[in-house]
Amino acid sequence: MEIKAATPVKRVAAPCTSTGFEYRFPAIRGIQAGREYYVTMCPLRLIPIIFRLNDEDLSPELRAQRVVNKGRLPALSKYILDNSDDYVFSALTASVDGNMQFDAFSAEDVGFRTGQLRIAMDARFLINDGQHRRAAIELALRQKSDLGEETIAVVFFHDSGLARSQQMFADLNRHAVRPARSIGVLYDHRDTEAQVARTLASRSVVFRDYVEMEKSNLSARSKKMFTLSALYYGTQALLQGLELKPDEATELAQAYWETIDKALPEWSMVREQQLSAAEMRRDFIHSHGIALHALGRVGNSLLRDSTAVSHWKKQLAPLKKVNWSRTNSDWEGRAIVGGRVSKSHQQVTLTVNYLRRHLGLGLSLEEQRVEDAYLRGEE
């Protein structure tokens, strides 16, 4: 992309610029719903300059975008910085309120669709999709200016007024669906806990052939006992704060879950075809995500004292006496709310507390606070 003073061109149309200066982008022209749009590449260093965030003080009905959630930016920026040789950002979509002109390379075929997009420097650029990416790029550039020479795809539309821009935002987000967490874990090769969970799912006798690798919810008739996302969160809770190499983490997690397996006879009954997975999930809660997460948290407190198997294995023995049946009224209000298993943070903590009590373990200050509120009958 270049920033140049406007030069005379042979055309009947009015000049693009109103200030005498313009942005020039190599671009491809397309048509959607009878409207022209242009796809180009923009250097990251110009993203904060061209796309300014100055609508936050306006009321929602006068904006064409949501307000930037600043809490999301550190993680997005860290993603860029930590993976500067391997990050991927999708295109920004923007409307241009100002003079914009496309000069095609020729009047026919491919040359008609490719050319140079000229935009007046006093034009106003409005991001319809990608404002958090834009803000994260600005944050990352402050720490690593070398990123400024890299580029991101930008799709430019002519600005047709506030109502049209608001409709574009609604349409771009109307059908956006986050992928199931399980498939995200399956495809994530950066996250150590994701790697551990995938290895357990393929290698451990407890999980092999019984983990749903793509969906994060199991149908009533599914032959799987666990989802990959549930195994991931349980293992993540188990390993949290432990300084282990990937191979060590995998071996320790496998040893832990295989120890848990010995305390839960229904798991092996499913593998031995004495009980169906559907029946087990229907009648017991120990294969649900809340149980794996709670077991992971309990295990983490034991492993923080010592990762030696001989240390924590004996302490888990009392788990054999826990009644995991959904008919056990102790679970109501803890793991079960209104007859349904709940995975909320509070329910996970209450389930952890219940298991700690059976294992003779104390509660943290936060766990005690949640427990006291539960016993008082508070929400």
Side-chain angles (χ1 to χ4, degrees), residues 14 57 105 113 118 161 176 199 228 248 251 371:
D57 294 333
F105 288 148
R113 295 191 294 272
R118 304 167 58 215
T199 302
L228 183 59
E248 294 173 336
E251 291 177 7
E371 186 70 16

Side-chain angles (χ1 to χ4, degrees), residues 216-218 225-235 237-238 256-257 260 264 267 281 284-299 319 324 326 330-337 340-355 370 374:
S216 292
N217 292 291
L218 298 175
M225 289 197 286
F226 318 94
T227 64
L228 183 59
S229 59
L231 177 57
Y232 168 79
Y233 286 119
T235 302
L238 175 68
Y256 179 79
W257 290 120
I260 295 296
L264 306 176
W267 287 10
R281 295 195 311 274
F284 300 89
I285 70 165
H286 48 42
S287 72
H288 288 261
I290 185 175
L292 294 185
H293 196 163
L295 287 166
R297 280 178 52 177
V298 169
L319 281 177
W324 293 92
R326 292 179 66 142
D330 289 346
W331 295 121
E332 184 60 43
R334 290 187 183 271
I336 298 175
V337 177
R340 298 176 65 88
V341 176
S342 171
K343 294 185 288 187
S344 72
H345 177 75
Q346 177 173 292
Q347 306 325 127
V348 171
T349 299
L350 289 171
T351 301
V352 168
N353 295 352
Y354 185 76
L355 297 179
V370 173
Y374 169 73

Side-chain angles (χ1 to χ4, degrees), residues 310-321:
S310 59
H311 170 78
W312 51 261
K313 201 168 187 178
K314 292 180 181 179
Q315 292 182 280
L316 290 172
L319 281 177
K320 295 179 180 179
K321 298 180 180 180

